[in-house]
Amino acid sequence: MSAASSPHAAARVRPEDFRQRSHESLHDAHLRQSFRGAMDFLVERRALQFPDLQAFNTLRKLGENVRQHALAQLPDLLERLEARLTELGVAVHWAETPADANRIFLDIARRHAATLMVKGKSMVSEEIGLNHEMAAHGVECIETDMGEYILQLDGDRPSHIIMPAIHKTKEDVAAIFHEHIDGVPLSDDVNELIAIGRRALREKFASAKIGVSGVNFMVAETGTLALVENEGNGRLCTSVPDVHVAITGLEKVVDRLEHVLPLYALLPKSATGQAVTTYLNLITGPRRAGEKDGPREMHLILLDNGRTQAYREARFRATLQCIRCGACMNHCPVYTRVGGLSYGTTYPGPIGAIISPHLLGLKSTRDLPTASSLCGACGDVCPVGIPIPDMLMKLREAGRHSVAESITPPAQALVGQGSVRCAGEVLAWRLWCVLYSHAALYRLFAWLAPRLRWLTPAWQGGWTASRAPLKPAPRSLRERLARRRAGRPAPGR
């Protein structure tokens, strides 16, 4: 068995190419059909978990308060967390950039003469390109999450933060296993495919010296790292190898252990429509004297990579409330049409559109905040109340206006602020302002507009044709609307 080697994802795809890739995706009927079915399924599953809107709003408000409480005292909580982890015997590392984080990983691997790492699901490790960086220095980093493992074998990238291989069919997976795992027959039976993956990975857990994981929540009070998973591979990565290295963004800290409970209640229901996940791992330090399992050495890497930029500006701080459930992606009409690979970023969809500008700069991600219909679905389903549409509008303003030109000047400019400024757009808005400020000009425009309809861009019809049709209203609703139009009362009223 061998993982397919591929260049770093950043070398192959760029967020600057979003328009081109999304155009290609819209013409990929197979991709659109697969995504539409998967997204509809996840939307329905989530709706079943939150049948009572009032109860959901109450729980969401609690989750939002927990995250805002933590962000309000983030520096203090991080210091408390470091102190508590140090007492427990955990080495805490601070990484300002992806290069810093990879350097720390490499130092740990060299210290233990490790040539193999097993890794549980971690979007932050994707963010720093860990697998490719370790491979460049002779250290193999094997994905053990089934979806991530499939993509690693195929040299592909995740298209969803919860279900990374959602763009692959069972036939695709069968072909990948048959090609990359020795002695595997070609079969599209899902249960058999899962069993093949488990057998191939089982030996890796025992032979790896280092296990890598992400972190869902960090508790400053107890020094506990909480990991949510469904497959059990995360538990193996964090307990079988002698060394456990966890990596996460510095915003994932909460104050007390009890604050994890509402977030845990929201996460699986919003992500996959599950009442609870299969595993909730609470890790508080390495193996202690007398214990028979667990890592003998434990590290935590706290990554910045632009997060402090979002934190220092009150208008963008809510971005850091995210618990990475992916609900906004599942409900986004843009993401469900073009898929996650079109974005060219680690975090696609609405949440990626507001996080990526802080990680990569506004200039390279200029198209992402505008890749939204502003329908508000992402904000409606966010389990921690992030006002995503409002964040998108603020990023659009920041991209098009320098600090001096901003409607509400920030304390400090974002990286790339004003880089999307377009002279033609500025001129168009100035003309619009003049037009709508003079009644005579406006009346002239209203008279001319329908007569110049032939100037409408030719691509408008193509864009309309690529939109999915609206689902018809239920019959009872249609009858009620018809009766209302006819002036007759609906039955039972």
Side-chain angles (χ1 to χ4, degrees), residues 97-110:
T97 66
D100 294 335
N102 283 315
R103 193 179 307 113
I104 294 168
F105 269 106
L106 187 59
D107 288 344
I108 296 171
R110 286 174 171 170

Side-chain angles (χ1 to χ4, degrees), residues 35 69 269 395 436 442 454:
F35 257 81
H69 172 76
K269 294 178 180 178
L395 285 168
Y436 278 71
Y442 179 79
W454 57 274

Side-chain angles (χ1 to χ4, degrees), residues 40 97 172 189 296 346 475:
D40 286 350
T97 66
D172 294 333
D189 180 83
R296 301 181 187 278
T346 302
R475 180 173 297 276

Side-chain angles (χ1 to χ4, degrees), residues 21-300:
R21 286 196 304 273
S22 59
H23 181 75
E24 294 169 355
S25 297
L26 286 173
H27 289 82
D28 187 339
H30 175 72
L31 175 69
R32 293 193 62 203
Q33 182 179 1
S34 299
F35 257 81
R36 180 62 184 263
M39 296 299 103
D40 286 350
F41 172 75
L42 290 170
V43 167
E44 292 170 3
R45 286 279 300 268
R46 177 196 171 278
L48 291 175
Q49 293 297 332
F50 296 113
D52 187 335
L53 182 59
Q54 183 176 357
F56 166 68
N57 286 332
T58 300
L59 182 59
R60 174 166 68 171
K61 190 62 180 177
L62 181 58
E64 181 183 1
N65 289 341
V66 166
R67 294 300 296 130
Q68 289 182 346
H69 172 76
L71 292 175
Q73 48 181 331
L74 183 61
D76 292 338
L77 289 184
L78 289 173
E79 290 181 2
R80 286 174 50 198
L81 175 70
E82 181 182 27
R84 185 69 183 115
L85 286 171
T86 302
E87 291 175 5
L88 294 168
V90 179
V92 180
H93 309 268
W94 301 83
E96 185 175 352
T97 66
D100 294 335
N102 283 315
R103 193 179 307 113
I104 294 168
F105 269 106
L106 187 59
D107 288 344
I108 296 171
R110 286 174 171 170
R111 193 182 315 136
H112 293 275
T115 58
L116 175 65
M117 297 179 179
V118 287
K119 180 162 75 71
K121 191 172 184 308
S122 165
M123 293 307 297
V124 177
S125 71
E126 293 282 350
E127 185 181 327
I128 67 172
L130 177 65
N131 296 359
H132 306 283
E133 289 297 324
M134 293 301 101
H137 292 87
V139 181
E140 187 179 18
C141 192
I142 295 292
E143 297 283 357
T144 63
D145 173 86
M146 190 59 65
E148 295 276 4
Y149 178 60
I150 291 166
L151 297 179
Q152 186 178 35
L153 288 177
D154 197 36
D156 203 353
R157 301 179 301 114
S159 61
H160 195 287
I161 61 176
I162 299 298
M163 295 149 290
I166 198 170
H167 58 292
K168 300 289 188 185
T169 65
K170 61 181 181 180
E171 291 79 13
D172 294 333
V173 176
I176 292 168
F177 280 1
H178 178 66
E179 179 181 356
H180 295 287
I181 303 179
D182 296 335
V184 170
L186 193 61
S187 170
D188 61 359
D189 180 83
V190 175
N191 292 328
E192 185 175 349
L193 290 172
I194 295 298
I196 291 170
R198 290 182 63 185
R199 286 194 299 269
L201 288 170
R202 185 63 58 174
E203 63 184 54
K204 298 295 183 179
F205 292 109
S207 57
K209 291 185 178 181
I210 298 177
V212 180
S213 77
V215 181
N216 290 99
F217 314 110
M218 305 178 290
V219 184
E221 175 188 39
T222 61
T224 301
L225 307 183
L227 280 72
V228 178
E229 53 151 338
N230 275 317
E231 300 177 17
N233 63 304
R235 181 164 293 186
L236 289 170
C237 288
T238 60
S239 60
V240 176
D242 281 342
V243 181
H244 171 208
V245 183
I247 181 169
T248 187
L250 50 77
E251 80 278 13
K252 293 294 187 69
V253 67
V254 296
D255 190 356
R256 298 190 292 273
L257 190 60
E258 64 193 66
H259 290 176
V260 172
L261 297 179
L263 300 178
Y264 178 64
L266 287 162
L267 178 55
K269 294 178 180 178
S270 300
T272 56
Q274 296 172 268
V276 293
T277 52
T278 308
Y279 299 94
L280 171 61
N281 305 312
L282 300 177
I283 303 171
T284 308
R287 183 189 305 189
R288 297 173 178 81
E291 295 181 341
K292 297 183 179 180
D293 59 7
R296 301 181 187 278
E297 183 178 316
M298 187 171 166
H299 300 259
L300 174 66

Side-chain angles (χ1 to χ4, degrees), residues 361-364 366 398-401 415-422:
L362 277 168
K363 184 176 182 179
S364 63
R366 58 185 178 273
R400 286 169 168 77
H401 300 282
V415 174
Q417 180 151 354
S419 59
V420 193
R421 180 185 177 90
C422 172

